[in-house]
Amino acid sequence: MTTQLLKDMSGLISSWQPRKVYHSAPRYLDDLKKFVQEKMAMPPALRFSGKKTAVEFVDGGTLDFGVNRKTAAATESVGIIMKRDLMTLPDVKLLMAQIQQEEGKFGEVILLVLGEINADMESKLQHFLEGRKSKTTFTVMKK
């Protein structure tokens, strides 16, 4: 089940352009967080749906951050993991360990891969994601 928050967050991440070129992944993450917070703070009419919402940003534990949104009808949560340049097996294994630790904490998680990803490592990650038994939905985005 894809929630509206996942669709909204995917749209925001797709439209995000880093404000400058950074030399470290944490700076890209800070830039993304600031962008998402600014967009989510806009009045509802300028944001997504016209519904009244309460948005909360949370530390994601081993995730980079999470967003919880409450509307009159439902509570939705999306976690974000950002990785830069998945080129080696240790990079992918670290990401797999993060995913295993976060299973079930968020209903849906976006894996944002910045930069390059080795085709073999992408295949290993996809195989891992497909083989999980958890109900958490993972969406992989590349930028």
Side-chain angles (χ1 to χ4, degrees):
M1 177 180 127
T2 300
T3 63
Q4 187 61 44
L5 180 59
L6 178 66
K7 292 176 188 173
D8 293 344
M9 289 299 297
S10 296
L12 281 176
I13 290 171
S14 293
S15 68
W16 169 66
Q17 292 297 319
R19 293 167 190 181
K20 63 182 193 174
V21 175
Y22 301 105
H23 297 289
S24 68
R27 297 216 184 240
Y28 282 101
L29 179 61
D30 291 341
D31 193 300
L32 175 62
K33 280 184 190 177
K34 186 174 183 178
F35 176 80
V36 169
Q37 288 173 333
E38 287 170 358
K39 294 297 183 187
M40 297 293 269
M42 290 180 159
L46 299 175
R47 201 167 49 226
F48 309 111
S49 63
K51 301 173 189 169
K52 184 176 180 182
T53 61
V55 177
E56 173 189 24
F57 288 84
V58 295
D59 176 17
T62 57
L63 292 176
D64 290 312
F65 69 98
V67 178
N68 295 327
R69 180 167 66 185
K70 296 176 186 173
T71 61
T75 300
E76 303 166 308
S77 64
V78 173
I80 310 292
I81 297 176
M82 178 189 287
K83 288 294 176 201
R84 186 168 177 212
D85 299 330
L86 287 177
M87 299 299 289
T88 65
L89 190 56
D91 294 336
V92 173
K93 284 187 175 185
L94 178 62
L95 178 56
M96 290 175 181
Q98 282 181 280
I99 290 168
Q100 288 175 329
Q101 288 180 358
E102 294 302 325
E103 292 285 358
K105 293 182 183 175
F106 287 88
E108 297 167 310
V109 176
I110 295 174
L111 300 175
L112 175 60
V113 179
L114 293 177
E116 298 179 38
I117 182 168
N118 176 307
D120 186 40
M121 297 304 114
E122 184 173 13
S123 174
K124 287 182 185 332
L125 176 62
Q126 204 59 39
H127 180 73
F128 170 77
L129 291 174
E130 291 168 1
R132 292 174 13 270
K133 295 185 179 10
S134 171
K135 294 179 182 171
T136 302
T137 302
F138 283 83
T139 302
V140 179
M141 297 180 71
K142 293 186 265 185
K143 219 164 178 21

